[in-house]
Amino acid sequence: MKKTVDYKKNSNKILLKDRLDRKFYIEAKPNELFSSILNRNHIPLDAVIVRRNGEVIDDWLMRYSPKDNYIIEMVRAYHLPDFLSLLRLWDTNIYQQPIKADDQAYYTRRHFLHDSQNGDYKSTQSTFNKQDFVAYIENLFADGVKRETLIDENEHISLAISGGRDSLALGYLLNNTKESLPSFSVTSIHVSTFSKEKETSFAAEIAQKFGYSHRNISDSEVRNVFNFKIPTYEVMEKVKYDYNKAYSIGTAHAIMRGVVEYYSKVNGINKIAFGLMCEDIVTSILKSKFIGSPFLGPFKRKWGEFELIYPLWSITKKELTLYLEAIVPEHNTQGSPTQFDRGALDRDIYYLLADTLTTIFPGSAYQLFKGHQKETEYHNISLDYKQCENCQSTFNDSYKVDSNMHVDDSLCDLCKLLEKMNLIK
Ligand SMILES: [Zn+2]
């Protein structure tokens, strides 16, 4: 391998020595925190130690001073500088693939493909102009739906439609690829309680445009499903103040899911499509691993008497956004999240992990999905699905068997909480 030094040493460059004794120089600003220098250069804090005039210092707390001599040493031998250069997190001449400057380029999709021949990954990329990108996303979507047989011939599905970017993109993609999908009909279900007026009208507009039979669920209908004593909005406020933000987003999602299940059942539909896209599913898998709650799937999952499908699984949020921008820029809007949507640290951790994973390991989501599918389908984890006595929505608490949490068979998690707060009749 070629030994590469990109920068001339001067007083504001810090030497990084890797385990092959190659030297790289990192820029530092006087008085800058070392943690920030390392983070800015994508050097994981746990991959290095920092010495000042030969002595190890606390790289989380200490600041850089041009008077001293510093050296960053890697604690493990792997090709971090090469890899960071390959990912373009570092701009060095280690990897200088010829870059075709193309004024029309709209998006480049990158993949590290696993080569079973030599057991290693191979880095690939394809660049699209706007028109090719639209065709590519539509193919990707239709292939993803067919390969995992998410929709059967002549099926009637319900579509949970919030009117936000994800469900709109799902509406457009289902419509724009219908020639290459099995034939199906759609009942769209919108729970207006959690949407802005604009989203509610987008949802209705899309439904009309694509000939869906549309249900706009009013707040009193939501109240009836859950037997709320007070308006849904006030229930959410109470959950938010008496518990915390993590509960509040979970509550909003549980209410929406419960209502969509309820009205699907009323219409005799047992397949429900949700607008979860690639990173949402990565996040759900990661979270399920970290906290030990089951997430089956990942492309579709049995859910009591329902089957939930995630047709957007192959497409990232960025790709959805670019797709809408290319075909209907007037619908490509996403307001700030509502106060119930903000979530807590929990949400930030998993989304940053998911985004970081695909940044440093392009295309890894597909491998994660396939691996997860093998694990959950082949290992045949059986789960006991129950129906909540209050809201009728589906839940399972199989994973709580050995927690010391009180397990009540009759109510879903949300209704247990609401009952405790005396909010349901
Ligand atoms: Zn319930």
Side-chain angles (χ1 to χ4, degrees):
M1 175 154 317
K2 194 169 56 169
K3 187 164 166 172
T4 312
V5 178
D6 291 295
Y7 304 106
K8 291 281 171 287
K9 189 174 181 182
N10 69 38
S11 60
N12 288 329
K13 307 276 189 203
I14 305 171
L15 173 65
L16 168 79
K17 225 165 78 180
D18 71 6
R19 292 282 296 269
L20 304 170
D21 274 334
R22 294 182 306 171
K23 292 174 175 165
F24 299 87
Y25 291 93
I26 307 295
E27 275 185 78
K29 295 169 211 140
N31 212 34
E32 195 180 4
L33 277 168
F34 266 92
S35 39
S36 137
I37 297 170
L38 296 172
N39 281 328
R40 185 160 52 73
N41 286 283
H42 309 281
I43 301 168
L45 302 189
D46 285 341
V48 294
I49 55 170
V50 177
R51 291 181 189 276
R52 179 178 62 200
N53 306 324
E55 298 292 322
V56 173
I57 57 165
D58 182 342
D59 51 29
W60 180 250
L61 294 176
M62 297 294 186
R63 292 174 184 273
Y64 169 76
S65 156
K67 295 195 312 278
D68 292 308
N69 225 310
Y70 299 90
I71 181 163
I72 302 170
E73 293 172 5
M74 285 197 66
V75 295
R76 186 183 294 110
Y78 68 104
H79 298 155
L80 181 65
D82 311 69
F83 190 46
L84 293 177
S85 303
L86 172 66
L87 294 169
R88 302 225 184 129
L89 293 169
W90 280 16
D91 187 8
T92 74
N93 60 8
I94 298 178
Y95 281 97
Q96 284 228 321
Q97 295 143 325
I99 299 163
K100 254 191 284 162
D102 183 351
D103 276 355
Q104 301 301 311
Y106 189 60
Y107 180 67
T108 295
R109 194 176 226 258
R110 299 174 302 133
H111 276 287
F112 287 171
L113 295 175
H114 191 256
D115 180 349
S116 49
Q117 294 287 306
N118 68 9
D120 201 1
Y121 287 91
K122 184 172 174 278
S123 162
T124 66
Q125 62 181 51
S126 332
T127 299
F128 304 94
N129 65 28
K130 203 183 260 190
Q131 196 187 344
D132 293 344
F133 173 76
V134 168
Y136 173 75
I137 291 296
E138 289 174 354
N139 276 330
L140 191 66
F141 175 82
D143 279 354
V145 171
K146 284 184 287 187
R147 197 180 318 159
E148 301 301 330
T149 45
L150 301 188
I151 299 173
D152 295 316
E153 197 63 49
N154 294 320
E155 203 165 30
H156 192 163
I157 61 175
S158 57
L159 173 62
I161 186 163
S162 71
R165 191 180 272 158
D166 307 347
S167 57
L168 286 183
L170 180 52
Y172 276 104
L173 281 164
L174 281 172
N175 183 71
N176 297 352
T177 62
K178 63 179 179 224
E179 303 303 318
S180 46
L181 298 178
S183 60
F184 60 95
S185 55
V186 175
T187 291
S188 47
I189 301 175
H190 175 77
V191 185
S192 55
T193 309
F194 302 105
S195 295
K196 296 177 180 148
E197 264 175 54
K198 199 164 143 194
E199 293 168 338
T200 298
S201 61
F202 275 173
E205 204 183 302
I206 291 293
Q208 200 192 10
K209 193 162 164 181
F210 299 145
Y212 301 159
S213 123
H214 189 61
R215 279 294 316 235
N216 187 9
I217 310 301
S218 69
D219 193 56
S220 64
E221 289 174 302
V222 175
R223 277 183 71 173
N224 280 337
V225 171
F226 278 88
N227 294 310
F228 291 145
K229 293 175 173 172
I230 51 177
T232 312
Y233 183 82
E234 289 173 33
V235 169
M236 297 296 300
E237 285 287 311
K238 283 198 183 293
V239 172
K240 192 171 127 197
Y241 289 109
D242 293 5
Y243 284 83
N244 61 42
K245 289 183 291 182
Y247 270 97
S248 141
I249 191 165
T251 302
H253 288 163
I255 294 175
M256 278 191 274
R257 205 194 56 230
V259 170
V260 170
E261 277 185 25
Y262 184 92
Y263 284 96
S264 296
K265 199 171 170 174
V266 165
N267 287 284
I269 304 168
N270 64 6
K271 187 172 275 189
I272 309 174
F274 283 96
L276 270 71
M277 38 68 202
C278 189
E279 296 96 311
D280 291 332
I281 300 172
V282 171
T283 317
S284 303
I285 295 175
L286 291 176
K287 188 169 175 178
S288 82
K289 301 284 180 199
F290 282 109
I291 67 172
S293 70
F295 172 75
L296 300 193
F299 313 106
K300 56 183 174 184
R301 62 198 293 214
K302 190 180 148 30
W303 182 249
E305 61 190 275
F306 298 101
E307 187 171 32
L308 313 184
I309 58 169
Y310 309 124
L312 292 175
W313 69 266
S314 57
I315 301 170
T316 66
K317 182 86 177 191
K318 178 168 174 172
E319 290 165 344
L320 284 186
T321 307
L322 292 174
Y323 178 72
L324 287 179
E325 181 71 23
I327 62 161
V328 272
E330 68 277 15
H331 277 175
N332 190 23
T333 58
Q334 180 124 322
S336 50
T338 67
Q339 54 171 330
F340 304 122
D341 254 4
R342 175 60 189 82
L345 182 58
D346 158 272
R347 193 172 147 84
D348 297 337
I349 290 172
Y350 291 115
Y351 276 99
L352 180 59
L353 261 180
D355 287 339
T356 305
L357 195 62
T358 47
T359 300
I360 63 174
F361 187 175
S364 56
Y366 291 1
Q367 260 191 279
L368 180 69
F369 294 171
K370 275 293 169 194
H372 188 70
Q373 185 184 39
K374 266 189 208 165
E375 198 182 317
T376 56
E377 283 185 6
Y378 303 163
H379 295 201
N380 198 17
I381 299 163
S382 77
L383 291 174
D384 188 13
Y385 291 97
K386 296 167 182 162
Q387 201 171 29
C388 175
E389 278 181 11
N390 179 57
C391 72
Q392 315 301 314
S393 74
T394 309
F395 71 103
N396 83 70
D397 50 15
S398 313
Y399 63 98
K400 287 182 186 155
V401 281
D402 42 38
S403 80
N404 41 22
M405 213 168 190
H406 170 65
V407 177
D408 177 345
D409 280 313
S410 58
L411 296 178
C412 72
D413 279 356
L414 174 60
C415 292
K416 255 177 251 170
L417 176 73
L418 298 172
E419 191 184 44
K420 203 159 104 191
M421 294 175 75
N422 194 27
L423 294 172
I424 49 181
K425 295 174 224 166

